[in-house]
Amino acid sequence: MPEVGDTGLIDFASVLNAEQYEAVTAPFGPALVLAGAGSGKTRTLTYRVAWLLSQGVKPSDILLLTFTNKAAREMLGRVEELTGVPARYFWGGTFHHIGQRFIRLFGTSVGIGKNFNIIDADDAESLLGQVIQDTDREFLKHKDNPKTRVVMSIVSYARNTCRPVGEVISDKYDYFEEVSGQIQQFAKLYQAKKLEQQVADYDDLLEYWLKILESDEQAAYYASQRFTQILVDEYQDTNMLQSRIIDRIGTHHRIMAVGDDAQCIYTWRGADFDNIMTFPDRHPGTRIFKIETNYRSTPEILRFANRVLDCQPDGIGFRKELKAFRAANIHPYFIQAIDTRQQAQFVAQRIDYLVENRGMNYRDIAVLYRAHYQAMDLQVELSKRRVPYQITSGVRFFEQAHIRDLVAQVRFAVNPEDSTAFQRFTCLLPKMGPKTALKILELAKDLSHKQKKSVLDVLNQDAILKKVPELGREEWPSLVQTLRDIASNAASEPKQPEAAVKIAVEGWYGDYIREAYENWMQRKDDLESLIGFAARFDSMAEMLAQLVLLNSETSDRSIERSEDCVRLTTVHQAKGLEFPAVFVIGLADGQFPIKRAVEEGNVEEERRLFYVAVTRAMDELYMVFPIISVQAGPMTRSEPSRFIREVPPTCFETVAMHQHRY
DNA sequence: AGTGCTAGCCTTTTT
DNA sequence: GGCTAGCACT
C-alpha cells in the first residue's frame, strides 16, 4: 500500500475556491454537486478523492464511475499526480467497464460464465438480424416494418430505461404498434441467443450487473461493503439502469453525484436527468452544492452561453447562471458563409491566422460539429493547406474491418460458442456466407460432442471440409491451424494475449489481407500495433473486453502523430474538453438542430448540446453558418440555426462572408 | 437456397 | 460517401 500520508500536505482551502472547497470536504453521506460548465468539476472530483484519502479512506474503498474512458483515465491520472496513489488501486472506469469486471466475478448466478465475450454494436445488430430472420422470414421484407437497426434501438432504449418493450412502443413508436408483439418476441429470443453463445452486448453489461445486485444477496452485500465511497461523474447522463445500480451498491448513501442538468445530451440513449432531480428524494439528507464560477471562458462567451440556456422553456432543470471570473475579451463571432466549402475555407484560413499571427498552437484549436459527415469538406481544405489535424472520426481504430476480422479469430479461439465471431472471419472465404458458416459450426459442434474433442480439433476433418464451398477449401486448413495455434500455443506463453494476437497476425489472416486489400501494408501495420496493445494485458478476457469497450480510442499510431494538431470532433465527443479557440460549424437550422430531432420534438436536447459546444471555448468562439448545403442529397438553402436567432444579437458579432471578402 | 453485384436510397449523437 | 433491396448466378 503506498503512502497515503502525502495527502496531508494538500492545503485544500487554499487551492480550491469556496464553492469547490465546500463540496470537496462535504461530510460522508449523500451529496449532489451541481457544477456548471468550466467550473472545475473534474478538479472537484479529483480533490474529493484526495480528501477522502486524507480522511483515512482506502483507495480500494472508492468506486469512481464515469461515462467515457477518457474521463476515467484523466481523473485517475490527476489523482495519482495529486496523491501519488497509482490509478490501479481504485475501482474506476466507465459504467460498462466496471460492470464487465463485476459480471466476471458474479455472473454465474445469472448464467454468464467467466469467459464471456463482449460484442460491439455491429455484431449485436447482425445477431438480432439473424434472430428476426429465423423467426419470421417475411418480417424485414415488409416495407412498413422496422429494420433491424430500428428494432435494436427500440429494444435497447427499453432496456436502458428499465421499461417493457411493449410500453416503449406504445409510447414512442405507436406506428409499430401492430408488430409490437413480434418485436417483444425478437427481444426475448435475442436475449436467449446471446446467453447461449455466452456473449454480452453493451446493454447487458449494465443489465446483468443490476440483475446480479438485485438477485444475488452475497454479491450485493460484497459490493456495498467493498465500496463504501461512490463517486459518479456526469450524473445527469445516467439512465435508469445506471442510477439503480448506484442506488443498489450505495445502500449506505455515501454517494457523491456530480453533474449539470444543462449538459444532459444522452436522452436518446435513455439518459434521464430526472435522476439528478430526484436524487435527494432517493437519498435522504442529501446536501446540494452549486459550483457556478467559471474559470474557463471569457465573460462574452459566458454571456452568450447563458442566453442560450435562457431560451429553454420554463421548468426544465435547475436555474443556473455561469458567473465569469476572467477579464473581458472579444465577442463570439457568427460567420455566414455561402456554402459548406466556403465554410471550410473560412475555418482553415482563420486557423492559419490564429497560428501565424496570434501565436496559438494547432492543439489550442477545435472544430466541433453535430455529425461526423459535416467534417468532410473541412478535411479536404485542411489537407490542402497542410494544417495538421486529428479527427475522432466515425470509423474508429477498433471498428475497422481488418481489426475486427482479426479479433474475431481470437474471440472464437477463446470461446467457440461465439458463432458471431465465427461467421465474421469464415465469411471472408469465397462463396461463404453467414448461413453456410452457421451450418458448418453446427456440424462441428455436433462432431465435437460425439468424438469428445474440442470444436477447434474437429474443424479440419473431412466431413467439415466437404461443407466448405469449393473455392475456399484450399485456404481452410491454414485458417483452422491458426485458430488452433491461438488456442493452444498462446495458452502456453507467459504473455498470453500478446502471443495470441501475434499468432493471429502471422497466421492465415496475414496472408489473406495481401490479396484482399490494396493498402495491405498499412493494414498490416495496424495489426502489428494491435500486438502492442495486447501486450498490456494479462488475461485474454480483459483484453478482448477492452477492445470492445475502448472502441472510441484512436490507434497508437495516430496518437503519436497528434502532438500538435487541430481537433475535429463531434460535440458529444468534445464534452469535458476545453480549447482556447473553438469553431462550431454547420449552424444551419436542420443541421444543428438536426432535422430529425426537430421532427421528433427533441429540440431541447439539441439546445443543451449547443450549450455544451459553446462552453468548450476559452477565448474565442466562431460559429459558422453555411447558407447552402450540398452534403445530403439535393442542394438546400437554409436559415441560420434557431439557437443563434433566439439569442439577442448584441451577444455576438455577425460577419457575412459574401459581403466582406475575407 | 444462398451468395454476389449493382442501382438507387439516406445520412446523429456512444459505451 | 455507405447501405439495402432486388436481381442474377452457382
Side-chain angles (χ1 to χ4, degrees):
Chain A
M1 194 53 61
E3 270 301 313
V4 170
D6 20 357
T7 52
L9 300 175
I10 300 171
D11 181 1
F12 289 95
S14 74
V15 288
L16 300 167
N17 72 25
E19 294 170 330
Q20 293 168 343
Y21 182 79
E22 282 295 305
V24 163
T25 60
F28 296 173
L32 183 57
V33 180
L34 298 167
S39 65
K41 178 172 62 80
T42 311
R43 186 181 172 77
T44 303
L45 259 175
T46 312
Y47 274 86
R48 173 67 173 181
V49 174
W51 184 82
L52 288 173
L53 296 178
S54 80
Q55 300 298 301
V57 174
K58 290 198 287 294
S60 57
D61 296 340
I62 299 174
L63 176 62
L64 178 66
L65 292 163
T66 62
F67 266 79
T68 63
N69 297 296
K70 205 168 55 197
R73 220 178 14 242
E74 209 180 285
M75 198 113 45
L76 290 177
R78 285 216 227 167
V79 169
E80 183 169 343
E81 233 170 77
L82 199 61
T83 65
V85 180
R88 61 174 188 281
Y89 284 74
F90 300 89
W91 267 59
T94 63
F95 278 91
H96 293 83
H97 181 212
I98 302 289
Q100 176 262 140
R101 284 174 75 177
F102 191 80
I103 297 165
R104 278 193 211 285
L105 288 178
F106 298 106
T108 41
S109 69
V110 291
I112 287 279
K114 247 187 168 42
N115 277 331
F116 72 92
N117 282 344
I118 302 171
I119 56 176
D120 64 21
D122 271 10
D123 285 338
E125 199 179 308
S126 61
L127 191 60
L128 176 64
Q130 259 172 51
V131 167
I132 296 175
Q133 283 288 316
D134 292 349
T135 316
D136 181 355
R137 307 195 125 268
E138 300 300 305
F139 187 85
L140 292 171
K141 288 187 184 152
H142 232 95
K143 263 221 216 58
D144 296 335
N145 286 351
K147 301 213 173 63
T148 308
R149 162 168 300 191
V150 179
V151 175
M152 182 60 100
S153 70
I154 295 170
V155 173
S156 175
Y157 185 84
R159 298 171 69 194
N160 280 291
T161 50
C162 298
R163 294 166 64 190
V165 172
E167 190 185 302
V168 167
I169 293 173
S170 330
D171 202 38
K172 283 188 66 187
Y173 302 88
D174 52 348
Y175 40 91
F176 294 141
E177 192 69 68
E178 262 177 63
V179 286
S180 178
Q182 268 183 295
I183 295 175
Q184 293 171 48
Q185 174 79 349
F186 298 149
K188 223 184 239 162
L189 292 169
Y190 169 65
Q191 207 57 32
K193 198 98 180 171
K194 280 179 299 174
L195 210 54
E196 189 186 302
Q197 296 186 14
Q198 289 288 295
V199 296
D201 63 19
Y202 288 128
D203 298 337
D204 283 326
L205 299 180
L206 305 179
E207 226 172 26
Y208 286 138
W209 188 6
L210 179 61
K211 199 168 161 194
I212 292 167
L213 288 171
E214 284 179 341
S215 64
D216 182 341
E217 248 172 72
Q218 267 192 328
Y221 182 76
Y222 169 85
S224 67
Q225 292 298 301
R226 163 87 205 250
F227 303 114
T228 54
Q229 297 288 345
I230 302 170
L231 297 114
V232 190
D233 189 22
E234 308 279 13
Y235 191 79
Q236 77 282 350
D237 279 324
T238 53
N239 61 35
M240 193 49 86
L241 274 175
Q242 290 161 327
S243 82
R244 284 195 186 165
I245 287 166
I246 296 162
D247 291 353
R248 270 281 160 179
I249 301 176
T251 46
H252 44 57
H253 299 304
R254 285 191 294 273
I255 305 169
M256 176 173 276
V258 182
D260 176 7
D261 53 282
Q263 293 186 70
C264 175
I265 55 176
Y266 286 105
T267 59
W268 50 275
R269 212 171 76 183
D272 186 350
F273 65 69
D274 243 23
N275 286 335
I276 209 171
M277 310 303 279
T278 61
F279 183 89
D281 306 334
R282 284 177 288 120
H283 301 283
T286 295
R287 289 161 184 261
I288 297 181
F289 302 90
K290 283 197 181 187
I291 307 184
E292 290 183 311
T293 309
N294 177 298
Y295 294 93
R296 176 185 294 157
S297 311
T298 63
E300 289 79 9
I301 290 169
L302 292 181
R303 187 158 76 110
F304 184 90
N306 282 327
R307 293 293 86 77
V308 171
L309 275 200
D310 282 349
C311 300
Q312 287 188 127
D314 290 340
I316 291 191
F318 296 103
R319 270 275 145 234
K320 65 173 58 62
E321 176 97 7
L322 293 174
K323 297 183 189 108
F325 174 82
R326 297 186 46 193
N329 199 313
I330 57 171
H331 277 288
Y333 284 103
F334 178 57
I335 294 97
Q336 305 198 339
I338 300 284
D339 53 18
T340 49
R341 255 190 64 203
Q342 199 184 34
Q343 167 176 264
Q345 282 167 4
F346 166 76
V347 173
Q349 250 170 51
R350 192 69 193 175
I351 289 172
D352 270 342
Y353 171 82
L354 291 175
V355 171
E356 272 163 35
N357 301 326
R358 302 272 287 284
M360 276 197 189
N361 294 306
Y362 287 119
R363 79 173 83 89
D364 297 334
I365 303 166
V367 185
L368 312 185
Y369 34 83
R370 176 65 246 259
H372 286 298
Y373 70 90
Q374 293 174 324
M376 269 176 4
D377 283 315
L378 190 61
Q379 286 185 71
V380 174
E381 193 63 31
L382 291 177
S383 306
K384 212 157 69 185
R385 290 170 190 258
R386 308 198 174 281
V387 173
Y389 66 88
Q390 188 203 5
I391 181 161
T392 40
S393 74
V395 191
R396 325 252 173 56
F397 183 70
F398 293 129
E399 275 177 12
Q400 297 175 89
H402 55 291
I403 302 286
R404 301 184 54 197
D405 291 343
L406 191 100
V407 171
Q409 295 170 62
V410 180
R411 261 170 60 186
F412 181 73
V414 169
N415 171 14
E417 297 295 314
D418 191 341
S419 58
T420 315
F422 183 77
Q423 281 174 310
R424 173 149 196 118
F425 60 81
T426 42
C427 288
L428 299 173
L429 298 177
K431 298 284 162 198
M432 180 80 88
K435 285 281 157 62
T436 315
L438 219 52
K439 275 184 198 159
I440 289 176
L441 186 59
E442 282 310 311
L443 177 63
K445 277 199 230 168
D446 219 40
L447 290 176
S448 101
H449 204 70
K450 279 186 193 136
Q451 303 175 14
K452 305 228 183 313
K453 286 183 177 168
S454 78
V455 171
L456 290 174
D457 283 336
V458 300
L459 275 178
N460 52 7
Q461 293 178 1
D462 280 349
I464 299 272
L465 198 62
K466 262 191 247 158
K467 296 262 182 194
V468 178
E470 218 173 326
L471 286 165
R473 274 184 212 163
E474 204 186 326
E475 282 183 75
W476 185 256
S478 143
L479 167 57
V480 174
Q481 191 54 46
T482 301
L483 294 173
R484 297 179 54 168
D485 287 346
I486 297 171
S488 57
N489 289 7
S492 58
E493 295 285 330
K495 300 280 289 175
Q496 196 188 355
E498 182 181 6
V501 173
K502 192 153 184 275
I503 291 168
V505 174
E506 288 167 0
W508 165 76
Y509 194 70
D511 295 328
Y512 167 82
I513 51 168
R514 282 170 208 247
E515 280 139 49
Y517 297 110
E518 195 84 39
N519 61 345
W520 65 271
M521 298 273 278
Q522 206 197 328
R523 286 173 194 254
K524 187 87 183 218
D525 285 348
D526 287 343
L527 298 178
E528 307 273 345
S529 77
L530 202 56
I531 301 176
F533 173 83
R536 304 212 292 258
F537 299 92
D538 295 323
S539 100
M540 294 286 272
E542 182 69 13
M543 179 204 52
L544 289 174
Q546 286 304 331
L547 278 174
V548 184
L549 295 175
L550 287 179
N551 77 346
S552 63
E553 295 291 280
T554 39
S555 68
D556 290 343
R557 208 157 35 90
S558 76
I559 286 168
E560 270 169 50
R561 282 189 278 128
S562 71
E563 298 280 292
D564 187 24
C565 288
V566 174
R567 277 284 283 276
L568 272 55
T569 132
T570 62
V571 183
H572 281 91
Q573 289 181 322
K575 188 154 102 163
L577 304 179
E578 58 180 24
F579 301 90
V582 167
F583 295 82
V584 186
I585 62 171
L587 278 172
D589 223 64
Q591 283 181 62
F592 201 165
I594 202 160
K595 202 170 96 204
R596 203 162 126 177
V598 177
E599 284 163 1
E600 290 174 6
N602 299 327
V603 176
E604 287 316 309
E605 173 132 329
E606 297 284 301
R607 189 192 311 283
R608 292 192 294 268
L609 195 58
F610 183 56
Y611 176 74
V612 169
V614 299
T615 52
R616 298 309 97 198
M618 298 160 74
D619 306 325
E620 303 192 17
L621 172 62
Y622 300 90
M623 298 169 287
V624 197
F625 160 55
I627 297 172
I628 292 164
S629 296
V630 278
Q631 295 183 13
M635 194 154 50
T636 46
R637 189 197 161 91
S638 41
E639 294 297 312
S641 170
R642 65 188 71 189
F643 300 142
I644 302 277
R645 289 187 319 227
E646 286 166 5
V647 169
T650 51
C651 292
F652 56 91
E653 199 167 307
T654 302
V655 180
M657 283 190 73
H658 45 282
Q659 285 161 14
H660 311 254
R661 277 200 66 82
Y662 243 87

